[in-house]
Amino acid sequence: MAEDLTVTGVLVIPASELRERFSRSSGPGGQHVNTTDSRVELSFDLANSPSVPDRLRTRMLDRLATRLVNGVLTIAASEQRAQLQNRAAARERLASLLRDAAAAPPPVRRATKPSRRAKERRISAKKRRGVTKRNRRASPDD
């Protein structure tokens, strides 16, 4: 499974920059859990990676700042019993995180004002509502 990780059409992480570590998974599973190293930790050094362009690196480092430890992003997967499935899940999760972090920022919102007609409609609707409520009140004659 030592293949490159495709994040976007432009960004491809070489397999040599990914580090995998295996350990025993916790949780239910009987004797199987005690004998197999099915948990996968996938690490990627984002801060020092030559495959990430500089303009993307700064954006990604800012967006992933809370998840990084010394510039390294680590993903752990232990949902499946099989190590191979956990490796695939970790790679997909890493690609998804990096894809979201590399996405272009949304366009800046330009403030607008309501039109004069919209203001008039709002005020007239408020007046109609007030008249309706006023008509519901019991008159002092009753």
Side-chain angles (χ1 to χ4, degrees), residues 25-26 38-40 76-81 86 93:
S25 182
S26 63
S38 59
R39 181 174 186 267
V40 177
S78 61
E79 297 83 30
Q80 307 295 326
R81 282 179 56 142
N86 282 331
R93 212 175 309 151

Side-chain angles (χ1 to χ4, degrees), residues 42-103:
L42 184 62
S43 298
F44 172 60
D45 190 356
L46 179 60
N48 300 316
S49 172
S51 61
V52 179
D54 289 334
R55 60 181 175 77
L56 280 181
R57 180 179 294 119
T58 54
R59 183 187 306 161
M60 293 169 84
L61 286 172
D62 287 342
R63 290 185 179 175
L64 296 172
T66 58
R67 295 197 61 137
L68 297 175
V69 177
N70 296 327
V72 178
L73 178 64
T74 303
I75 302 292
S78 61
E79 297 83 30
Q80 307 295 326
R81 282 179 56 142
Q83 184 188 86
L84 200 59
Q85 291 174 329
N86 282 331
R87 288 174 81 183
R91 289 173 67 88
E92 181 54 43
R93 212 175 309 151
L94 178 66
S96 176
L97 262 175
L98 293 175
R99 195 175 304 119
D100 292 344

Side-chain angles (χ1 to χ4, degrees), residues 20-24 37-41 83-84 87:
E20 289 180 322
R21 219 177 99 216
F22 306 103
S23 62
R24 294 201 176 134
D37 291 340
S38 59
R39 181 174 186 267
V40 177
E41 279 187 18
Q83 184 188 86
L84 200 59
R87 288 174 81 183

Side-chain angles (χ1 to χ4, degrees), residues 1-5 12-20 91:
M1 181 157 271
E3 56 195 41
D4 296 346
L5 181 67
V12 177
I13 308 298
S16 60
E17 292 186 31
L18 298 174
R19 284 190 312 278
E20 289 180 322
R91 289 173 67 88

